[in-house]
Amino acid sequence: MEDYLKTGGYENISRAFDLKPADIIDEVKMSGLKGRGGAGFPTAMKWSFASADPKFPKYLICNADEAEPGTFKDKVLIEKNPHLLIEGMILSAYALKAEYGYIYLRGEYYNAKEILEKAIKEAYENNFLGDDILKSNIKFHISLYVGAGAYICGEETALLDSIEGKRGQPRSKPPFPVNVGAWGMPTIVNNVETLANIPHIMRVGGKVYSEIGNPESPGPKLYSVSGCVRKPGLYELDMGVTLREIIYDYAGGTSNGRYLKAVIPGGVSAPVLPGDKIDCIMDYTSLSKAGSMLGSAAVIAMDDSVCMVKVALRIMKFFEHESCGKCTPCREGTVWLRKILERIEQGNGRKEDMNLLSEISMNISGKSFCALGDGAAGALLGMLRHFRDEFEEHIEEENCKFES
Amino acid sequence: MITLTINSEEVRLEEPVSILEAAGSAGIKIPTLCNHELLKPFGGCRLCVVDVERMPKLVNSCSINAADGMIVKTESEEISRVRRSMLEFLLINHPLDCAYCDKAGECELQDAVMQYGPPSGRFMEEKRKVPESHEDPVLARNMERCIVCSRCVRMCDEVQGASAIGMINRGGRTVVEPFSSKSFDCEYCGNCLTACPVGSILSRQYMHNYRPWQMDSRTKTVCAYCGVGCSFVTQVRDEAIVRVAPEAGLGLNNGLLCSKGMFGFDFTTSARRIKKPLIRKNGNLVESTWDEALDFVALRLKEIKDERGGDAIAGIASSRCTNEENYIFQKFLRMVCGSNNIDSISRTGYAAAQKYFENLLGQGISANIISGLKNSETILVLGGDPTAVNPVLGISIRAAAGKGAHVVVIGHAPGLDRFSEIVISPPDFREAELIEALLIDIYGVKGKRSENNIMDRSISELSEGISGKIDINGYNELREILLNSSSISIVLGMDLVQRSDGHRSLFALAGLTYLLEARLYLLSERPNEQGLIDSGCVPDMLPGGRLLSIPDFRRRYENAWGGPVPELEGRTLMEIIEAAGNKEIRAIYVMGDNPVYNLPDSQYVRKSLGSLDLLVVQDIFLSETAELADVVLPARGWSEKTGTYTNLERRIQLLRKVVNVSYGKDDWKIISDISSKMGYEMDYTDAEGIMEELARVSPLYRNLTYSEIAEKENLWPYYGEPLRGELKELPPLTRDSNDFGDDLYLAIERPLFHSGSLSNSSSALLKISPEPMIKIGPSHAGRLNISDGDMVSVSTDRGSLDMKICIDKTLKGNILLMSNNYKGKGVCQLLCYNLDHITKAPGIEGCKVSIRKMTYEFEGQV
Amino acid sequence: MFNDGILKEIEEIRDKYPDRKSALIPSLYIAQREYGWLSNEALRLVADNLNLPEATVRATASFYSLFKNKPTGRHLIQLCTNVSCMILGSEKLKDFLGSKYGLEPGGTTADGRFSLLIVECIGACDGAPSMLVNEDSYDELTEQNIDVILGKYR
Ligand SMILES: Cc1cc2nc3c(=O)[nH]c(=O)nc-3n(C[C@H](O)[C@H](O)[C@H](O)COP(=O)(O)O)c2cc1C
Ligand code: SF4
Ligand code: FES
C-alpha cells in the first residue's frame, strides 16, 4: 500500500471525482484503449453502451479468470500491483455510475487471492472504497468472487451465469451484458489489464496515451512469454513490437540455440505460426492478417525437439476438458478430434484422417455457440496448415519419431 | 408492427418473437432439437440455424428475435450442410439401437436425420458407454442416447418447479441425473419424459411393449383423478391403455400432467375389478345374473318405500361418476324412491364449502380460470397444498411466483416452500381466528363496499366481537400485501372445511373475497365434484343449483319429469349415516363411492350401514362398503364409458370411451333399468341422450351438446344464467373456539401420489409410494427418539394401526399426518368427528393420537 | 449441520449479492473446506442452508473442476501438463510421480499422504514445468527438487 501511495497511487481519484462521469469516458475514448481480454473490443464503446442504458443498479465486473494456456499476465499484475487494479476499478465505476464491483478471480490463483483480499481491506481502511469514498459521498464496493475451475467462465456471459451460482455456460447474445448482465442488470465486464490501464490514462490524459506505441491500438501491452526460450517471463512492451523482437531481443532466443520451429502468439486458442513467419507486429489486426490472433498475448515458443502432433493433441485435450457442453459442435467435435489425434500420435492414423480432421474443424468453426469452439478448431487448423507433413509422417510411419 | 421476409415471404408480427416462431406463424418449419414450446430458448443443438442477411454467420433462429426489415433464409445448401454436420456430431455417441428403443417412430433425432442427416457415419472410435439405469421404480435413464438438449432438466426447473434433476459434469461427459444419481425421488409428473426428444428418459410402465405405430387407437379424454381435469391422448392396444400422452395445445394442462394422470391410468385393469353382480345369500355375497340382481333391488326398494315412505331411502352419489350418471341418480331417488336424501362424499369438503360460498356471494363465485392464477399479483393459499391435491393448478402458482407474484401460505403446503414469500403457521386448528382477524383488519381500512349488502352487514356484526389484531409471524406483511395488491387470488384447500367451526373460516374468506374483490379457487380432489352439485346430487337443490324450497323451481322440474318432486329437504351425508344408525333410514343406494373407507369414524359408519335393511352398492371394485352390501352391481370404469365431467373451474369436458369391456354396465344404465322395473320408465340409449335432457331442464346447461363440448371450451355458465345475489340470511357463527393442549393430534394428509381407492389399484403409483406412513415433525421425533422409517403403532380412541413413520422437516405444531389411501390402513379408521352445524361437514380437529415405537420380541426362543 | 460460525460466514457472503443463489459457489467452497470433499450429505447441507434444490446444487458443483466428488489425500498435488509445461518435460515428472510415489493421475498414495491431479495451465508457464501442492506453487521442477518439495509435506 505505502509503495503504491508513494508512486502517486490513488491520486487520480479525487481529481476524477471532480470531472463528470461522461468526461472520463471521453478520455478513455480518446486514449483508443482496446480491451485486453482477448477480443480487443474498444473499451470506451462498451462503456458508453452501458451508461446509455437507463436501468440501475449497474455492475462492474473485473474478469480475472485468466486461464488461456500460456497466459499469466493478470496473475502477475495482481500479485505485483493489486492497488493499480483497484484504483482502475474505482475510476471506471465512477465513470459508469456503478456502486458495486466484483473481481472474478481464477480459483487456482491462491496467492493472488490472498494479496487481493489484503489490498481490498487496505483500500477500505483508507476510505478509497466504501459508502462515502474520501468524503465525496460517492459509493463503491468491491467483493472478490473466486471461480472454481472452469476456463469457459472467462467468457463474459458464462462468467455472469457462474457469479449467479449456476453452471458457467454462455448466454445467447443479444441481449448483451451491457444491457442485461449480472442479475439482469447492465453489467460491464473488463479484463484486469484493461482496468489497470485506466489510472495511467487518467494521469497522462487520453491524448498522450493514444500516442504511445502503435496508433492502431495504442498503449503498453503485457506479453507472457514461455516455452523454449532463454528468458521466459512477462514483458510490458509497446504494441508496435514484432514477435521476432519479443523472442530474440527480449526473451533471449531459444534456450539451447536450437532451431525455432513454431510459435503460438496469443495463447493456445491462437493458431500457431511457423518459426520463420514471426516478423508480424503483435497487435490485433496484423496478427489476424498473419492468420492468427493476439488473443491473450501469450507467446509460446517451440523448438525442433517438439512434436506438433503431440502439441495439437494436448491442446485438443484442453478444449475437450473445458468445453461447457452446451452446444453440439464443441461438445462432440472436441471429443472426436481428440480421439483421432490420439490415434495418430500412437501410430494408428489413417490416410482419411487428414481430411476428416480439417472437415470436423470446419464444422465446429463458426458453428459453436461461443468462441471456445472456434478456438479449438482454429488451433488445429493452424497446425494442419503449417505442419501438415508432420502429421502425414506420423500416419505413414505409424509412430512418433520424437522421444517424449 | 415488425415486418420481415422469410424465404421471400413477407411476415408481419404484432410483438417481437424469435425468428423460429415468426417462421412458424408463416407455416415455415425449421428443424429443432433443444427448443420446446413450453421452455425458454436454449440455443444449444444448433439445428435451427438460418441465414440472416448482413449477419456474419448463420444464427440460431430459436434464440434470436425477429427484427424489422430482416431478410431470412431457412433453407440453403450451406444451411443443410451445417445441419447435416450437427447431426453427424450428435450421432457419434448416439447408439444406433432404434430397433430396440421405445422412442423409435416418434424420435425427433430420428426424424431430423431422415430429413437432413448424413447418409453414413465417419466416426471410427469407441462410442460412449453408459449402462441404462433402472434404479427408479417407474422411470429409466439411458444416457447413451442423450443429446444433451437439457429439455428434461429445463422442464423440471422452469415449468414444474421441482428441480429434481440436473445436468451433471460438463462437456462431453455431461449426463442428466437426479440428486441421488439413482432413483428420481421427485414429484413424478413425468413431464421430463414428455420433454425428451429421444429415448433417454423412458417409462418402465410400457418399456419394450410400446410402438407408436402399433397402437389400435388414440383417443382424447380427461384424467380420472382430480378436479383440474387435464386432457391427454390415451394410446390403446388389445383393449388396454398402454400409455397416456399430454399434448401442447390440448386442454387446460397444455402438455403437462402430474404423477396420477401420467402413471395412474392402469387402475381400470386391476385384478380387483368385480365383473358379475353379487347378492348376499345366507350371509355371503354370491354371483348372480343381472336380472336377478336388478329385480331384487327394485323389489326391496319398492317394499321399503311403501312401508316407510321415500324418506327412509337415501342415495350417495359419486364425484368420480359423470354428470349424466349423477343426474340420473338424483332423478331416480327423487322421482322413483321419492326421497331428497341425496348427498356425496364431497360433503366432507368441496360441496360444503362451495354451497356456503354460493349462499353468501352468489352462484358461480368459485368459477375462475386456473390460468388466471399466473396473472395474479398476490396468491393466498390456505387449507392444503395445491401442488399435491391439484398439481397442475399448483404449478400455475409456482409460475406466478416465478413471475414475481407474492405467494402467501397459511398452514402446511410443502410443495410451495421454495415459492412462497411468507408462510404463516397458526396454532393447530385455530386458523379461523387468524382469518377473522385479517378480515376485520382489512374491513377497518377498506370499509363497506355497499350499504345494504348482507356481506357488509354480517362483517360489521362480526367486527363487534373481534379486535382485528393478532400477534403472529408474517401477519402484518400479509396484511400489507393484501391491502396493496390489485389482483388477488385465494386458493382454499379442504382442511379448513373439516373443522366443527369450519364455517368461521369460510365466512371470513367470503368476506375477504368480497372486500378485496379476489378470485376464489376451491381445491377439488376428485374429477367431478362440481358436476355432482350442478346435476342435483345435493339434498336441497335440484339440477342447476335450483333450490328445492322454491316452489317455482320444483314445478319446473315436475313438469319436465312428469311427477311430483318430494318437498321435504333431504339429509346431508353425515346425517344420512346417523339416520341409518338410528333406523330412520332403512335403505341406502351407493353409486361409485366407498363411505366406509372414506368417512371419519369408519367403525361407526360400518355399524350404521350394517344395520340397514338394504344396502346397494354400485362400483368397479369390491370396496369396503361393497363388502357390507346386500347387492353389489358391477359398473364401468373411467376409460370404459362416455360422459362429461365439470372441473373446479366449471369447465365441462368430454370423458370418452377408450376401451371396450364385456363386463359391467354404465351406472346410468343400471339405474334406468331398476327405475323401469319400479314402474318409472327410463329409456335412455346413451349418455349423450341424457345430456340432451339435462341441457333442456337445467338452466345452467341450456342447449349444450356433445359436439359443442368436443369442439370448443365450454366454461360455465354456457348459455344459461346463474342465480346471482344472496339467497339466504347468514346463520349465526360459532364464536367460542376451544383450545388445544400439548397432546399430539391426528390430521389427514392429501398426498401427491395417491387418491383413494383408484390409486391404490394402480401398480405404477404403488411402486412410487408403496405403503402407508405416519408423518411427524422433527422436534417430536427427537423427543420420542424415533428415527425415520421406524415401525410404530398409531393409536386413537377409535383404534390403532401399525406402520412406518416418516420425519417431515416441514411439519410444525402438534400435528401428525396420515393419508387415507392404503387398503386396511386409512387415517379415517382412526379419526372421530364433530359435525359443523352449518356446513354439515365433519370436523376432524382435535383427535388425540399416540405413537409407540414397536420392538420385535421373538418369543419361545431359548 | 453447519455450526453457527459457518452459518454466519455464509450469511455475510449472501449479503454481498443481490440474490442468495450467488452464495452457492462460495458455500460449496466452505463445505469442501469443512468436509474435505463434497459428499451428497455436504451438498444437501448447502442446499438446505440456501434453500436451493439439491439437484441444482449438485449440478453446479459437478461443473467446476476444483470441487471434489471423492475424498483426497492429505496433500493435493496439481501438476500442469499443458503445452508450456509439457514441452519442458512435465510428462516425465508425471511418470516419475508414478514410479517413485505410486501416484496415478486422479489417484491417492496408499498412505493417504498425497493425491495427484493432472490439471490445465495454472498460469506459471514462465517457470515451467510447474505444480501446486495444496495452495503453494512450485516452478522449474525436476525429479530432484520434487523430492525435496514433497518432503516438506507429511
Ligand atoms: C472461451 C473464452 C475464454 C475467455 N477467457 C477470458 C479470460 O480468462 N480473461 C478475460 O479477461 N477475458 C476472457 N475472455 C474474453 C471475455 O469474454 C471478454 O471479452 C473480456 O473479458 C472483455 O474484457 P476487455 O473488454 O477488457 O477485453 C474469454 C473469451 C472466451 C470466448
Ligand atoms: S462452444 Fe458451445 S459447448 Fe463449447 S464452450 Fe462454447 S457454448 Fe459451450
Ligand atoms: S433449437 Fe436452436 S439451437 Fe437447438
Side-chain angles (χ1 to χ4, degrees), chain B residues 157 162-170 177-181 417-418 809, chain C residues 20 40 43-44 48 51-56 58-60 62-65:
Chain B
D157 233 40
S163 305
I165 50 178
M167 310 299 291
I168 303 298
N169 306 329
R170 72 178 182 224
E177 282 187 1
F179 179 71
S180 73
S181 83
D417 260 4
R418 274 188 295 108
K809 274 184 289 181
Chain C
R20 74 171 187 284
N40 276 9
L43 292 172
R44 204 173 266 123
D48 289 352
N51 192 14
L52 295 172
E54 292 168 345
T56 314
R58 179 164 171 249
T60 299
S62 71
F63 185 87
Y64 297 94
S65 57

Side-chain angles (χ1 to χ4, degrees), chain A residues 328 369, chain B residues 20 31-36 41-49 60-63 149 154:
Chain A
T328 306
F369 193 95
Chain B
L20 179 69
T32 60
L33 279 174
C34 69
N35 192 64
H36 188 288
F42 181 68
C45 77
R46 303 250 129 200
L47 224 63
C48 69
V49 290
N60 273 352
S61 58
C62 69
S63 52
C149 65
R154 288 179 289 138

Side-chain angles (χ1 to χ4, degrees), chain B residues 345-653:
Chain B
I345 306 293
S346 278
R347 177 66 50 188
T348 63
Y350 187 92
Q354 199 269 7
K355 176 88 181 327
Y356 187 86
F357 284 120
E358 292 202 338
N359 278 347
L360 289 178
L361 300 170
Q363 202 175 13
I365 183 63
S366 65
N368 294 301
I369 308 298
I370 290 172
S371 58
L373 280 167
K374 287 203 189 70
N375 313 327
S376 312
E377 196 179 324
T378 296
I379 302 178
L380 178 59
V381 178
L382 319 87
D385 186 345
T387 65
V389 177
N390 293 127
V392 168
L393 178 148
I395 60 180
S396 308
I397 299 178
R398 288 175 175 173
K403 287 168 73 187
H406 312 280
V407 175
V408 181
V409 173
I410 296 181
H412 185 239
L416 289 174
D417 260 4
R418 274 188 295 108
F419 302 84
S420 36
E421 193 171 317
I422 307 173
V423 176
I424 301 180
S425 315
D428 302 334
F429 310 116
R430 311 254 316 243
E431 303 87 353
E433 288 159 62
L434 169 67
I435 310 169
E436 280 172 348
L438 190 60
L439 171 64
I440 299 311
D441 205 348
I442 301 249
Y443 179 70
V445 179
K446 293 213 150 204
K448 281 191 165 48
R449 237 183 91 183
S450 81
E451 271 321 308
N452 48 17
N453 183 303
I454 176 182
M455 282 310 292
D456 294 291
R457 270 187 274 123
S458 328
I459 295 172
S460 59
E461 267 170 43
L462 182 67
S463 66
E464 283 145 27
I466 293 169
S467 72
K469 293 277 165 285
I470 189 162
D471 174 23
I472 185 166
N473 260 339
Y475 173 81
N476 295 333
E477 295 85 334
L478 169 58
R479 174 179 183 280
E480 287 318 302
I481 291 176
L482 288 178
L483 284 170
N484 297 312
S485 306
S486 55
S487 96
I488 299 175
S489 296
I490 298 176
V491 179
L492 176 63
M494 293 310 133
D495 294 1
L496 290 193
V497 185
Q498 296 174 352
R499 304 269 188 266
S500 54
D501 67 349
H503 60 278
R504 290 175 60 192
S505 302
L506 296 188
F507 176 78
L509 285 167
L512 287 171
T513 307
Y514 173 75
L515 289 180
L516 299 165
E517 298 176 56
R519 281 196 230 93
L520 184 63
Y521 295 83
L522 302 182
L523 298 184
S524 166
E525 285 183 280
R526 300 227 186 152
N528 202 31
E529 293 196 284
Q530 183 57 45
L532 178 86
I533 299 170
D534 292 344
S535 51
C537 289
V538 279
D540 57 347
M541 291 193 304
L542 293 157
R546 282 358 191 207
L547 281 173
L548 202 80
S549 53
I550 298 177
D552 286 359
F553 289 152
R554 230 174 31 250
R555 215 159 298 113
R556 168 124 41 96
Y557 282 93
E558 287 175 337
N559 298 337
W561 291 342
V565 171
E567 284 183 37
L568 182 64
E569 218 174 74
R571 294 181 170 87
T572 57
L573 178 68
M574 298 320 277
E575 291 167 330
I576 290 174
I577 303 293
E578 283 156 19
N582 55 40
K583 295 276 178 199
E584 290 167 20
I585 283 180
R586 292 308 186 78
I588 295 184
Y589 196 130
V590 180
M591 175 176 78
D593 215 319
N594 187 4
V596 170
Y597 185 79
N598 288 331
L599 293 180
D601 206 349
S602 333
Q603 301 312 332
Y604 170 70
V605 176
R606 180 184 297 274
K607 208 168 117 298
S608 308
L609 296 185
S611 70
L612 288 165
D613 299 344
L614 177 67
L615 176 62
V616 183
V617 173
Q618 187 168 303
D619 205 319
I620 62 173
F621 298 124
L622 191 64
S623 69
E624 289 78 355
T625 309
E627 282 164 356
L628 292 181
D630 300 291
V631 184
V632 181
L633 304 168
R636 292 255 161 102
W638 154 80
S639 55
E640 301 154 359
K641 61 190 182 187
T642 304
T644 59
Y645 279 163
T646 306
N647 79 346
L648 60 85
E649 301 170 291
R650 304 193 190 191
R651 181 189 302 266
I652 183 160
Q653 308 191 100

Side-chain angles (χ1 to χ4, degrees), chain A residues 246-269:
Chain A
I246 292 181
I247 290 174
Y248 286 96
D249 305 355
Y250 296 94
T254 52
S255 351
N256 33 34
R258 291 185 75 140
Y259 168 69
L260 180 72
K261 180 176 176 183
V263 183
I264 294 174
V268 300
S269 302

Side-chain angles (χ1 to χ4, degrees), chain A residues 34-43 46 63-68 73-74 151-157 173 189-192 194-195 269 284 370-373:
Chain A
K34 282 187 181 170
R36 305 292 198 227
F41 191 83
T43 305
K46 188 186 283 186
N63 188 340
D65 194 44
E66 182 170 70
E68 179 71 29
K73 64 187 183 73
D74 297 344
Y151 168 68
I152 185 60
C153 291
E155 195 283 332
E156 55 186 358
T157 60
K173 302 183 246 184
V189 181
N190 275 125
N191 171 256
V192 173
T194 313
L195 292 166
S269 302
Y284 298 98
C370 79
L372 185 145

Side-chain angles (χ1 to χ4, degrees), chain B residues 173-194:
Chain B
R173 299 173 310 290
T174 310
V175 290
V176 175
E177 282 187 1
F179 179 71
S180 73
S181 83
K182 298 182 173 63
S183 170
F184 279 60
D185 309 319
C186 62
E187 298 181 346
Y188 290 99
C189 59
N191 293 329
C192 54
L193 185 64
T194 318

Side-chain angles (χ1 to χ4, degrees), chain B residues 324 642-644 654 687-689 691 704-711:
Chain B
E324 293 76 359
T642 304
T644 59
L654 261 190
E688 187 163 8
M691 176 50 82
L704 185 68
T705 67
Y706 271 19
S707 57
E708 255 181 304
I709 301 173
E711 281 157 21

